[in-house]
Amino acid sequence: MPTSVETSAGGLVLSGLPEAVQPDGSVDFSRIYVALIGRLDRRGRLLWSMPKGHIEPDESHHATAEREVWEETGIAGEVFADLGTIDYWFVSDGVRIHKTVHHHLLRYVDGDLNDEDPEVTEVAWLPVSHLVERLAYADERTLARQAYDRLPDLARADAAAGRATPR
């Protein structure tokens, strides 16, 4: 069976990080949102995942993540941290594919959700407190848990730097 190698990038767009920091320094996770995409699988089930897509020639992982998030969600985001890499194999049309996906954390910059991308069925802002349970794929759930653990420090750093989420 022929083999192909594919590399993609994407990630989690976060909105509300600095605003989630409370006066006592605690972080209110219900004020932090992430943008996810939903796609129908072959059985017609809506599966939620992080936006991502193929890296174009001479394009960095960060640039790809920002472009793919915009194309699939309508949201402009800016990469501010690496999240992790997922590596897996699958077969499609008689070709064995080894795929590597580089995930990043992005800050919301601008835009409104839309599902105009033909590969996407639905897009949604979701409270980060519901992220892990909503994601369809175990590897993405693992990355989401890692992001969740980092969010308090990231939110406090954004608040300390005087950042504010554009509205």
mmCIF file of all heavy atoms in Angstrom, residues 132-161:
data_model
loop_
_atom_site.group_PDB
_atom_site.id
_atom_site.type_symbol
_atom_site.label_atom_id
_atom_site.label_comp_id
_atom_site.label_asym_id
_atom_site.label_seq_id
_atom_site.Cartn_x
_atom_site.Cartn_y
_atom_site.Cartn_z
ATOM 1 N N VAL A 132 -13.283 19.926 27.102
ATOM 2 C CA VAL A 132 -12.812 18.536 27.067
ATOM 3 C C VAL A 132 -13.957 17.578 26.731
ATOM 4 O O VAL A 132 -13.805 16.693 25.887
ATOM 5 C CB VAL A 132 -12.127 18.151 28.400
ATOM 6 C CG1 VAL A 132 -11.792 16.673 28.431
ATOM 7 C CG2 VAL A 132 -10.869 18.991 28.613
ATOM 8 N N GLU A 133 -15.107 17.779 27.346
ATOM 9 C CA GLU A 133 -16.225 16.857 27.108
ATOM 10 C C GLU A 133 -16.814 16.993 25.712
ATOM 11 O O GLU A 133 -17.443 16.066 25.207
ATOM 12 C CB GLU A 133 -17.315 17.055 28.158
ATOM 13 C CG GLU A 133 -17.988 18.412 28.062
ATOM 14 C CD GLU A 133 -18.747 18.798 29.318
ATOM 15 O OE1 GLU A 133 -18.247 18.563 30.414
ATOM 16 O OE2 GLU A 133 -19.846 19.368 29.158
ATOM 17 N N ARG A 134 -16.625 18.128 25.056
ATOM 18 C CA ARG A 134 -17.209 18.350 23.732
ATOM 19 C C ARG A 134 -16.348 17.784 22.603
ATOM 20 O O ARG A 134 -16.869 17.375 21.567
ATOM 21 C CB ARG A 134 -17.422 19.849 23.517
ATOM 22 C CG ARG A 134 -18.063 20.232 22.201
ATOM 23 C CD ARG A 134 -19.504 19.742 22.015
ATOM 24 N NE ARG A 134 -20.419 20.284 22.977
ATOM 25 C CZ ARG A 134 -21.175 21.356 22.794
ATOM 26 N NH1 ARG A 134 -21.138 22.004 21.655
ATOM 27 N NH2 ARG A 134 -21.990 21.767 23.736
ATOM 28 N N LEU A 135 -15.025 17.763 22.775
ATOM 29 C CA LEU A 135 -14.147 17.310 21.703
ATOM 30 C C LEU A 135 -14.343 15.818 21.419
ATOM 31 O O LEU A 135 -14.433 15.003 22.334
ATOM 32 C CB LEU A 135 -12.680 17.584 22.058
ATOM 33 C CG LEU A 135 -12.286 19.053 22.043
ATOM 34 C CD1 LEU A 135 -10.906 19.240 22.664
ATOM 35 C CD2 LEU A 135 -12.319 19.622 20.627
ATOM 36 N N ALA A 136 -14.383 15.471 20.143
ATOM 37 C CA ALA A 136 -14.675 14.100 19.728
ATOM 38 C C ALA A 136 -13.470 13.168 19.798
ATOM 39 O O ALA A 136 -13.643 11.962 19.944
ATOM 40 C CB ALA A 136 -15.214 14.107 18.291
ATOM 41 N N TYR A 137 -12.268 13.718 19.701
ATOM 42 C CA TYR A 137 -11.087 12.871 19.557
ATOM 43 C C TYR A 137 -10.231 12.887 20.821
ATOM 44 O O TYR A 137 -9.922 13.943 21.372
ATOM 45 C CB TYR A 137 -10.262 13.325 18.349
ATOM 46 C CG TYR A 137 -11.097 13.343 17.092
ATOM 47 C CD1 TYR A 137 -11.533 14.545 16.542
ATOM 48 C CD2 TYR A 137 -11.492 12.160 16.479
ATOM 49 C CE1 TYR A 137 -12.325 14.564 15.403
ATOM 50 C CE2 TYR A 137 -12.285 12.165 15.344
ATOM 51 C CZ TYR A 137 -12.699 13.373 14.806
ATOM 52 O OH TYR A 137 -13.486 13.382 13.695
ATOM 53 N N ALA A 138 -9.815 11.694 21.252
ATOM 54 C CA ALA A 138 -9.070 11.536 22.500
ATOM 55 C C ALA A 138 -7.777 12.351 22.518
ATOM 56 O O ALA A 138 -7.450 12.967 23.535
ATOM 57 C CB ALA A 138 -8.755 10.063 22.747
ATOM 58 N N ASP A 139 -7.038 12.363 21.398
ATOM 59 C CA ASP A 139 -5.785 13.122 21.365
ATOM 60 C C ASP A 139 -6.032 14.619 21.561
ATOM 61 O O ASP A 139 -5.260 15.300 22.230
ATOM 62 C CB ASP A 139 -5.045 12.898 20.049
ATOM 63 C CG ASP A 139 -4.451 11.501 19.931
ATOM 64 O OD1 ASP A 139 -4.316 10.827 20.972
ATOM 65 O OD2 ASP A 139 -4.132 11.087 18.803
ATOM 66 N N GLU A 140 -7.109 15.144 20.977
ATOM 67 C CA GLU A 140 -7.440 16.556 21.163
ATOM 68 C C GLU A 140 -7.909 16.813 22.595
ATOM 69 O O GLU A 140 -7.623 17.876 23.155
ATOM 70 C CB GLU A 140 -8.484 17.017 20.149
ATOM 71 C CG GLU A 140 -7.917 17.187 18.762
ATOM 72 C CD GLU A 140 -8.858 17.909 17.813
ATOM 73 O OE1 GLU A 140 -9.997 18.275 18.212
ATOM 74 O OE2 GLU A 140 -8.453 18.128 16.660
ATOM 75 N N ARG A 141 -8.611 15.859 23.193
ATOM 76 C CA ARG A 141 -9.025 16.020 24.596
ATOM 77 C C ARG A 141 -7.797 16.101 25.505
ATOM 78 O O ARG A 141 -7.773 16.896 26.453
ATOM 79 C CB ARG A 141 -9.955 14.888 25.025
ATOM 80 C CG ARG A 141 -11.342 14.979 24.407
ATOM 81 C CD ARG A 141 -12.337 14.033 25.052
ATOM 82 N NE ARG A 141 -11.977 12.640 24.965
ATOM 83 C CZ ARG A 141 -12.315 11.823 23.970
ATOM 84 N NH1 ARG A 141 -13.048 12.281 22.957
ATOM 85 N NH2 ARG A 141 -11.954 10.561 23.992
ATOM 86 N N THR A 142 -6.771 15.321 25.208
ATOM 87 C CA THR A 142 -5.530 15.377 25.991
ATOM 88 C C THR A 142 -4.903 16.764 25.881
ATOM 89 O O THR A 142 -4.496 17.354 26.895
ATOM 90 C CB THR A 142 -4.536 14.296 25.508
ATOM 91 O OG1 THR A 142 -5.126 13.009 25.733
ATOM 92 C CG2 THR A 142 -3.217 14.392 26.236
ATOM 93 N N LEU A 143 -4.824 17.307 24.670
ATOM 94 C CA LEU A 143 -4.276 18.656 24.495
ATOM 95 C C LEU A 143 -5.149 19.696 25.195
ATOM 96 O O LEU A 143 -4.632 20.654 25.777
ATOM 97 C CB LEU A 143 -4.149 18.998 23.007
ATOM 98 C CG LEU A 143 -3.053 18.285 22.229
ATOM 99 C CD1 LEU A 143 -3.065 18.751 20.775
ATOM 100 C CD2 LEU A 143 -1.693 18.500 22.846
ATOM 101 N N ALA A 144 -6.461 19.515 25.137
ATOM 102 C CA ALA A 144 -7.374 20.457 25.794
ATOM 103 C C ALA A 144 -7.156 20.470 27.301
ATOM 104 O O ALA A 144 -7.192 21.532 27.933
ATOM 105 C CB ALA A 144 -8.827 20.113 25.469
ATOM 106 N N ARG A 145 -6.911 19.303 27.895
ATOM 107 C CA ARG A 145 -6.618 19.247 29.338
ATOM 108 C C ARG A 145 -5.331 19.999 29.661
ATOM 109 O O ARG A 145 -5.245 20.696 30.670
ATOM 110 C CB ARG A 145 -6.514 17.797 29.802
ATOM 111 C CG ARG A 145 -7.837 17.100 29.947
ATOM 112 C CD ARG A 145 -7.691 15.679 30.515
ATOM 113 N NE ARG A 145 -8.887 14.915 30.257
ATOM 114 C CZ ARG A 145 -9.057 14.096 29.221
ATOM 115 N NH1 ARG A 145 -8.090 13.890 28.360
ATOM 116 N NH2 ARG A 145 -10.208 13.461 29.066
ATOM 117 N N GLN A 146 -4.338 19.857 28.795
ATOM 118 C CA GLN A 146 -3.076 20.572 28.988
ATOM 119 C C GLN A 146 -3.305 22.085 28.893
ATOM 120 O O GLN A 146 -2.759 22.847 29.688
ATOM 121 C CB GLN A 146 -2.032 20.118 27.975
ATOM 122 C CG GLN A 146 -1.597 18.687 28.179
ATOM 123 C CD GLN A 146 -0.747 18.158 27.031
ATOM 124 O OE1 GLN A 146 -0.398 18.880 26.095
ATOM 125 N NE2 GLN A 146 -0.422 16.880 27.086
ATOM 126 N N ALA A 147 -4.106 22.509 27.931
ATOM 127 C CA ALA A 147 -4.414 23.933 27.790
ATOM 128 C C ALA A 147 -5.147 24.428 29.031
ATOM 129 O O ALA A 147 -4.832 25.491 29.571
ATOM 130 C CB ALA A 147 -5.260 24.172 26.541
ATOM 131 N N TYR A 148 -6.125 23.651 29.472
ATOM 132 C CA TYR A 148 -6.931 24.017 30.640
ATOM 133 C C TYR A 148 -6.041 24.244 31.863
ATOM 134 O O TYR A 148 -6.233 25.198 32.618
ATOM 135 C CB TYR A 148 -7.949 22.895 30.905
ATOM 136 C CG TYR A 148 -9.049 23.257 31.857
ATOM 137 C CD1 TYR A 148 -10.179 23.925 31.411
ATOM 138 C CD2 TYR A 148 -8.969 22.918 33.199
ATOM 139 C CE1 TYR A 148 -11.211 24.240 32.284
ATOM 140 C CE2 TYR A 148 -9.993 23.232 34.079
ATOM 141 C CZ TYR A 148 -11.112 23.899 33.612
ATOM 142 O OH TYR A 148 -12.114 24.224 34.475
ATOM 143 N N ASP A 149 -5.047 23.374 32.044
ATOM 144 C CA ASP A 149 -4.131 23.516 33.180
ATOM 145 C C ASP A 149 -3.277 24.774 33.089
ATOM 146 O O ASP A 149 -2.876 25.332 34.110
ATOM 147 C CB ASP A 149 -3.213 22.290 33.288
ATOM 148 C CG ASP A 149 -3.949 21.029 33.706
ATOM 149 O OD1 ASP A 149 -5.098 21.129 34.211
ATOM 150 O OD2 ASP A 149 -3.378 19.935 33.512
ATOM 151 N N ARG A 150 -3.012 25.232 31.869
ATOM 152 C CA ARG A 150 -2.173 26.424 31.665
ATOM 153 C C ARG A 150 -2.964 27.731 31.707
ATOM 154 O O ARG A 150 -2.389 28.805 31.845
ATOM 155 C CB ARG A 150 -1.462 26.318 30.316
ATOM 156 C CG ARG A 150 -0.447 25.184 30.275
ATOM 157 C CD ARG A 150 0.088 24.923 28.889
ATOM 158 N NE ARG A 150 0.732 26.075 28.297
ATOM 159 C CZ ARG A 150 1.130 26.114 27.025
ATOM 160 N NH1 ARG A 150 0.934 25.083 26.235
ATOM 161 N NH2 ARG A 150 1.713 27.187 26.545
ATOM 162 N N LEU A 151 -4.288 27.653 31.552
ATOM 163 C CA LEU A 151 -5.103 28.863 31.405
ATOM 164 C C LEU A 151 -5.006 29.852 32.566
ATOM 165 O O LEU A 151 -4.935 31.064 32.314
ATOM 166 C CB LEU A 151 -6.556 28.504 31.138
ATOM 167 C CG LEU A 151 -6.833 27.960 29.739
ATOM 168 C CD1 LEU A 151 -8.307 27.614 29.590
ATOM 169 C CD2 LEU A 151 -6.384 28.917 28.662
ATOM 170 N N PRO A 152 -4.997 29.416 33.828
ATOM 171 C CA PRO A 152 -4.907 30.427 34.888
ATOM 172 C C PRO A 152 -3.663 31.303 34.768
ATOM 173 O O PRO A 152 -3.751 32.533 34.863
ATOM 174 C CB PRO A 152 -4.888 29.592 36.180
ATOM 175 C CG PRO A 152 -5.633 28.350 35.811
ATOM 176 C CD PRO A 152 -5.228 28.073 34.381
ATOM 177 N N ASP A 153 -2.510 30.697 34.515
ATOM 178 C CA ASP A 153 -1.280 31.488 34.372
ATOM 179 C C ASP A 153 -1.325 32.373 33.135
ATOM 180 O O ASP A 153 -0.885 33.525 33.173
ATOM 181 C CB ASP A 153 -0.052 30.573 34.311
ATOM 182 C CG ASP A 153 0.249 29.912 35.649
ATOM 183 O OD1 ASP A 153 -0.187 30.433 36.699
ATOM 184 O OD2 ASP A 153 0.928 28.859 35.636
ATOM 185 N N LEU A 154 -1.867 31.852 32.036
ATOM 186 C CA LEU A 154 -1.968 32.651 30.811
ATOM 187 C C LEU A 154 -2.921 33.827 31.001
ATOM 188 O O LEU A 154 -2.648 34.939 30.544
ATOM 189 C CB LEU A 154 -2.423 31.769 29.647
ATOM 190 C CG LEU A 154 -1.454 30.661 29.228
ATOM 191 C CD1 LEU A 154 -2.132 29.721 28.237
ATOM 192 C CD2 LEU A 154 -0.182 31.247 28.645
ATOM 193 N N ALA A 155 -4.037 33.590 31.674
ATOM 194 C CA ALA A 155 -5.010 34.659 31.918
ATOM 195 C C ALA A 155 -4.400 35.739 32.813
ATOM 196 O O ALA A 155 -4.540 36.938 32.533
ATOM 197 C CB ALA A 155 -6.273 34.091 32.555
ATOM 198 N N ARG A 156 -3.713 35.323 33.869
ATOM 199 C CA ARG A 156 -3.080 36.298 34.772
ATOM 200 C C ARG A 156 -1.999 37.103 34.046
ATOM 201 O O ARG A 156 -1.867 38.309 34.261
ATOM 202 C CB ARG A 156 -2.489 35.594 35.991
ATOM 203 C CG ARG A 156 -3.539 35.083 36.958
ATOM 204 C CD ARG A 156 -2.909 34.482 38.224
ATOM 205 N NE ARG A 156 -3.877 33.647 38.895
ATOM 206 C CZ ARG A 156 -3.886 32.320 38.870
ATOM 207 N NH1 ARG A 156 -2.951 31.652 38.219
ATOM 208 N NH2 ARG A 156 -4.829 31.653 39.507
ATOM 209 N N ALA A 157 -1.240 36.446 33.173
ATOM 210 C CA ALA A 157 -0.200 37.151 32.404
ATOM 211 C C ALA A 157 -0.835 38.178 31.465
ATOM 212 O O ALA A 157 -0.335 39.305 31.346
ATOM 213 C CB ALA A 157 0.647 36.152 31.617
ATOM 214 N N ASP A 158 -1.930 37.817 30.803
ATOM 215 C CA ASP A 158 -2.614 38.767 29.916
ATOM 216 C C ASP A 158 -3.167 39.951 30.710
ATOM 217 O O ASP A 158 -3.060 41.105 30.284
ATOM 218 C CB ASP A 158 -3.744 38.085 29.149
ATOM 219 C CG ASP A 158 -3.285 37.479 27.843
ATOM 220 O OD1 ASP A 158 -2.062 37.381 27.602
ATOM 221 O OD2 ASP A 158 -4.157 37.102 27.027
ATOM 222 N N ALA A 159 -3.764 39.669 31.862
ATOM 223 C CA ALA A 159 -4.305 40.745 32.693
ATOM 224 C C ALA A 159 -3.189 41.657 33.185
ATOM 225 O O ALA A 159 -3.314 42.892 33.146
ATOM 226 C CB ALA A 159 -5.095 40.172 33.875
ATOM 227 N N ALA A 160 -2.079 41.086 33.620
ATOM 228 C CA ALA A 160 -0.941 41.868 34.123
ATOM 229 C C ALA A 160 -0.328 42.722 33.023
ATOM 230 O O ALA A 160 0.178 43.825 33.277
ATOM 231 C CB ALA A 160 0.112 40.949 34.724
ATOM 232 N N ALA A 161 -0.395 42.228 31.765
ATOM 233 C CA ALA A 161 0.154 42.979 30.631
ATOM 234 C C ALA A 161 -0.804 44.056 30.137
ATOM 235 O O ALA A 161 -0.493 44.785 29.195
ATOM 236 C CB ALA A 161 0.489 42.011 29.489
#
